[in-house]
Amino acid sequence: NAGVTQTPKFQVLKTGQSMTLQCAQDMNHEYMSWYRQDPGMGLRLIHYSVGAGITDQGEVPNGYNVSRSTTEDFPLRLLSAAPSQTSVYFCASSSPGSSTQETQYFGPGTRLLVL
Amino acid sequence: AQKITQTQPGMFVQEKEAVTLDCTYDTSDPSYGLFWYKQPSSGEMIFLIYQGSYDQQNATEGRYSLNFQKARKSANLVISASQLGDSAMYFCAMRDRMDSSYKLIFGSGTRLLVRP
């Protein structure tokens, strides 16, 4: 299993540009989520999905869109990039419901710089 | 509101010694899970250990153990026999099982440096 994969690993954008961060998992997890990590801080939830076709907002959703057309994929779209969106983005997945399986596994992260 | 507090921004430990990383949490919910993640300089988030609020015994995973004191709302990570590869950022996180977002609340992290 590849686990959770993310592309690209690093991206530079200009203010106002749009882009999509890709996330895929091969563990058949129902739950997927996007977090951002800013310097000196822990991670904060942007959006999440509890299954294909079901998404909802997290703590910091403004400026981002998501969709979940398949169990495996959960892309994050930046609509009009702003310098405040410079961050490291992590995708995570889990299979909640069992105490031994509710751990969220993270992808390697995408480092985004908005100029 | 849920909150995770890690009061140690940075710590040093001598190789082969044990070290405790502190974590306190605040929640009014009776059912929750506590996690520790390691973030090395390469940036990935690596799951280390999990403790459920109703688990009777403290969790252990190899050299990692979680010192869970429910009444004090603390969930300290103990790393035994530290290795140079343990140098990293360590994050404590909590999830409220009643929260349908399955959101993890993270602390600000502790940077651990293992000295040879």
Side-chain angles (χ1 to χ4, degrees):
Chain A
N1 287 351
V4 181
T5 58
Q6 292 183 236
T7 56
K9 291 185 179 180
F10 182 72
Q11 183 72 46
V12 179
L13 290 179
K14 294 181 180 179
T15 297
Q17 287 184 317
S18 62
M19 78 161 293
T20 299
L21 280 63
Q22 301 291 344
C23 174
Q25 53 92 9
D26 61 0
M27 297 174 281
N28 201 31
H29 285 166
E30 303 94 10
Y31 179 82
M32 297 185 73
S33 58
W34 279 101
Y35 289 82
R36 61 177 286 174
Q37 182 181 28
D38 299 307
M41 300 178 66
L43 281 65
R44 292 181 294 168
L45 182 66
I46 304 172
H47 284 286
Y48 67 96
S49 169
V50 297
I54 306 170
T55 64
D56 207 342
Q57 297 179 350
E59 296 176 86
V60 288
N62 292 341
Y64 308 96
N65 272 353
V66 292
S67 60
R68 183 98 178 267
S69 56
T70 67
T71 300
E72 294 78 20
D73 301 298
F74 190 44
L76 177 72
R77 297 182 187 84
L78 278 69
L79 308 174
S80 178
S84 61
Q85 293 179 304
T86 293
S87 189
V88 180
Y89 292 84
F90 288 96
C91 180
S93 76
S94 71
S95 184
S98 164
S99 64
T100 60
Q101 294 180 329
E102 66 173 288
T103 299
Q104 293 192 32
Y105 295 94
F106 287 82
T110 293
R111 190 173 297 272
L112 177 67
L113 175 62
V114 182
L115 301 174
Chain B
Q2 295 173 315
K3 186 177 180 181
I4 294 282
T5 302
Q6 294 180 255
T7 58
Q8 306 154 312
M11 289 191 68
F12 292 96
V13 65
Q14 205 67 31
E15 191 179 9
K16 300 181 184 177
E17 292 184 348
V19 63
T20 298
L21 306 184
D22 293 342
C23 172
T24 59
Y25 60 91
D26 189 18
T27 180
S28 58
D29 298 298
S31 181
Y32 50 89
L34 295 157
F35 304 80
W36 278 91
Y37 286 86
K38 173 184 179 181
Q39 187 175 42
S41 58
S42 52
E44 69 269 31
M45 295 289 288
I46 302 169
F47 164 72
L48 294 178
I49 197 166
Y50 162 81
Q51 178 88 41
S53 60
Y54 290 121
D55 293 343
Q56 295 297 314
Q57 293 190 328
N58 287 346
T60 60
E61 290 286 349
R63 294 186 299 110
Y64 304 108
S65 61
L66 200 153
N67 185 2
F68 181 46
Q69 299 187 43
K70 195 171 183 178
R72 300 179 63 180
K73 293 190 175 179
S74 73
N76 299 338
L77 177 70
V78 180
I79 305 174
S80 63
S82 297
Q83 302 173 356
L84 296 179
D86 293 335
S87 294
M89 281 290 287
Y90 288 82
F91 290 97
C92 180
M94 175 173 64
R95 183 173 83 73
D96 167 21
R97 290 215 188 102
M98 304 303 289
D99 182 349
S100 61
S101 78
Y102 300 103
K103 174 178 63 187
L104 284 174
I105 303 293
F106 283 85
S108 55
T110 295
R111 184 173 299 280
L112 177 67
L113 183 61
V114 181
R115 291 171 166 156

